[in-house]
Structure formats: structure tokens, C-alpha cells
Amino acid sequence: MAIEQPPLSLYVHIPWCLSKCPYCDFNSHEARGDVPEAAYVDALLCDLESSLPSVWGRRLGTIFIGGGTPSLFTAEAIDRLLTGIRTRITVDPSAEVTMEANPGTFEMERFRAYRAAGVNRLSVGVQSFDDRALAAIGRVHGADEARRALEAACAIFPRVNADLMYALPDQTGERAAADVREAIALGVTHVSAYHLTLEPDTHFHRFPPRLPDEDAAADMQEAIENVLAAAGFEHYETSAFARPGERARHNLNYWTFGDYRGIGAGAHGKISLRDRIVRERRARKPQTYMQLAAAGRAIDESHTVSEADLPFEFILNALRLIDGFEIALFQRRTGLALAAVEQPLAAAEARGLVERDHATVRPTAKGQRFLNDLLALFLPASSAPRRTIAISTSRTDTPRNA
């Protein structure tokens, strides 16, 4: 089995937030008082430096600073972080550098300073422009704050993503479509539209709100897709829509089974070596992470992906893409022939969930709608009883810090 060396990205996790949202199952912690940003940046850079031997000679094509709420950190801290990264590993001159921001932390000068520090793509956690919906999902910002933050972001950053959610408590289809129209009108270049789901170990899972039923949620999704298509946005991944040339390169690297180093509390990573693929996770608790990172021992868990699991791990990501994947990419990224998934592929094709030719495999419209059912066909038999698949349009799909 010979595996190619794919593009490399860096994910940086900042775990603190203003308050813990009731639907959130990310590794995030409510900030109580000042966050230890200087010590945490020190830990991040120690973590990166100690992990360099496995990626010597490689360059970063994208950097993503996520959370939590990264915009709790000052621009000076973000500048020191990005400078420290560039002095330790080669970063492509045209690298996409994305940062998440919460409208509740919006300040015009802070946004300008993030841009000056090297952030060239801002992802704003709007979720909705409806004050009632925002209150129902526990967001700390209001609709007017979201509008001001997004308007400022579009004036300062060359690429701006609006994070929206639908199927919110008591939400109507028209209100969900209106949220998308408003984001488009404010000038965003990319929209992520996520279905609200009740994830285990969250407040909403213990105390579920009244949500739209499955048919109503599906109608909302269709309405959102129609509004974005009419505005010239390409639907290129289950939950992602972009103007031509504005697709999120960092997430595309996840979905095409690229490599990513994850640093920060609870961050995950995937690194391809010549004969194996290794997945790793950092210690989850921020204080513990900082102590271990300073000692060069931030990795809490590391394992080699088994040959039996490789096909599913590739498919889990690649079939989220509306255009599917090239057969040659499967072979290069896993080191396996497509015969490894011929049986489930044939079953998926027979059920009308995928279509394929000599070069590509892609989900049909039905396969996109019933993505969980499609992905389940590829579960290794030995893993099926203990595996679960995230809801296909949930915000927790990208492998960031689960």
C-alpha cells in the first residue's frame, strides 16, 4: 500500500467562548474573566514545533483558526500566532487563512487588525437574523449585531462566510429563506447552512426544544438551495455554497481526504505517511493542554487507521461533495484500488444513490438528500455496531475539534 502525500492544512483550536450554546458539542468552554491568551499562544507554538518532524519539508496551503470563539483573542495575539506559525513551517504565499468570529465580539478596529495580521477569510457565526430564533438557540448576539458584523467583515476581508442554521425552534420556511437572502444582500461570498441537530451531551439533547418536523426541515433546505442558486452561488458540498472561485479551500482539503495538523485543546489531526495514515487528538482540557504542550506531550491519542477503515473514512468525506470524487483520487489518498468499495458502490448505484463512470463517482440528488443512508452502506462490517454517522447537514461534520 503506497499512499501519496496530499496537501497539508493547519487547524488551530481556541476553546473559549462567551457562553456555551445549548446545541454545541464542540470542545468549548465559557470564558470566566480574562482568557490566558498569551500562555495559550505559547502552548500552541510549542505544540506545533514539537510536531514538526512528521511534516518536515511540507508547506501549509491553508490555516483555520476555529473554536470556541477565536475573536475573543486580541489582534495582537492572532498576529503573534500567525507570525510564530510562519517562522516554524513554510506557509504558501497564497495560503487561505480563515478565522471564525462571533458577532457578539464585533469591533470594527479589531476586524481591521485581524486582516492586517494576515487573516484573509472571515467566517461569521450569524446563525440567524431573527432575534426570536437567536434567543431560542441561546446566542449572545442579536440580529442587529449580526448585520453590523457581517457588513463590516465584507468591507474589510476579501472573502467572507456567513454561518447560518435552519430548522430552528418554531422557525418557518420563509424565515429560513429570509436569513439567506439577507446574508447575500450584505455581500458574503460563501454561505454555510447547517441543520440544527440535537447532539448527545448537549443541553438541547437533555431538554429538547420544539423543532420543525423532518418534512418541514427538508422544505427549508430546498428553499435555501433555491435562493442561493438564483443568486449565483454554487452548491458544492452538503452544507456549503459559494460564489464562483470562492469555495473554502481549507474544508475542501478535509473533504478530499487531505492532511491536516490540529493544534489546540482537543484538536484532531490526520497525517499521511508513505505506508499508513495516522490520526491524532490533543488533550481536551485547556489547562491540561497548555501544561502538556509546553512539555512537548500535547497528543492525547494517536492511532493508525486500519486498512479496513480507510475506504469508509475517505467516502465519509468525499461523498459530501456534490461533484463526488475522482476514482484516481481514492487510489492516491488511500493506497487502495476502487475494488475495496465495489460491493457498497454497486449497492448504492442500484438504489439510485450514486452514479459513476470510468473516472468519477458522485452522489445523485437522492443520494444528497439521504446522505446518511448512502454513507452507511460503506461502513466496515466489523465497525457497524459501534459506529454512528453525524446528521449530514449538521455543523459538527467538519473534523475540527469533536
Side-chain angles (χ1 to χ4, degrees), residues 22 51 67 91 98 124 149 168 194 219 226 231 234 261 380 398:
S51 68
V91 178
T98 306
V124 184
L168 304 180
Y194 299 106
D219 289 343
N226 290 339
E234 300 166 341
R261 172 119 282 156
T398 49

Side-chain angles (χ1 to χ4, degrees), residues 351-369:
R351 292 171 58 176
L353 298 173
V354 300
E355 56 189 13
R356 53 176 169 159
D357 53 31
H358 69 285
T360 60
V361 177
R362 66 184 66 83
T364 61
K366 181 181 177 182
Q368 295 166 30
R369 175 75 182 273

Side-chain angles (χ1 to χ4, degrees), residues 196-273:
L196 174 63
T197 57
L198 306 183
E199 302 293 347
D201 301 320
T202 64
H203 181 79
F204 271 2
H205 191 264
R206 293 187 293 273
F207 305 99
R210 185 174 64 184
L211 300 179
D213 63 28
E214 188 174 323
D215 288 340
D219 289 343
M220 287 183 197
Q221 182 178 348
E222 184 176 358
I224 288 167
E225 291 171 1
N226 290 339
V227 169
L228 286 160
F233 281 70
E234 300 166 341
H235 186 190
Y236 71 98
E237 185 272 339
T238 300
S239 307
F241 307 79
R243 293 200 179 278
E246 301 295 341
R247 298 183 179 192
R249 288 163 49 195
H250 184 85
N251 285 348
L252 274 172
N253 194 39
Y254 289 150
W255 297 321
T256 54
F257 214 48
D259 280 356
Y260 52 98
R261 172 119 282 156
I263 59 174
H268 286 216
K270 167 191 170 283
I271 299 296
S272 298
L273 305 174

Side-chain angles (χ1 to χ4, degrees), residues 72-144:
L72 281 176
F73 273 31
T74 63
E76 290 77 12
I78 298 301
D79 182 52
R80 187 162 76 89
L81 169 66
L82 291 174
T83 299
I85 290 168
R86 289 190 171 95
T87 59
R88 287 163 174 80
I89 186 170
T90 303
V91 178
D92 191 291
S94 62
E96 176 190 86
V97 181
T98 306
M99 179 175 164
E100 292 184 330
N102 186 320
T105 61
F106 163 65
E107 295 173 10
M108 179 72 79
E109 291 308 313
R110 181 174 286 216
F111 274 20
R112 289 197 179 102
Y114 291 145
R115 179 70 186 99
V119 176
N120 55 32
R121 187 181 194 111
L122 200 71
S123 183
V124 184
V126 173
Q127 315 313 350
S128 177
F129 294 101
D130 183 336
D131 280 323
R132 290 169 299 178
L134 290 169
I137 61 173
R139 299 295 290 180
V140 297
H141 68 271
D144 285 342

Side-chain angles (χ1 to χ4, degrees), residues 253-305:
N253 194 39
Y254 289 150
W255 297 321
T256 54
F257 214 48
D259 280 356
Y260 52 98
R261 172 119 282 156
I263 59 174
H268 286 216
K270 167 191 170 283
I271 299 296
S272 298
L273 305 174
R274 186 186 62 81
D275 59 346
R276 66 190 185 280
I277 291 175
V278 176
R279 288 199 178 276
E280 55 192 28
R281 186 190 69 191
R282 267 55 183 172
R284 287 178 59 85
K285 293 182 178 179
Q287 291 297 329
T288 302
Y289 167 77
M290 287 190 284
Q291 293 167 5
L292 293 175
R297 297 186 290 109
I299 296 176
D300 183 54
E301 179 184 308
S302 178
H303 72 275
T304 297
V305 180

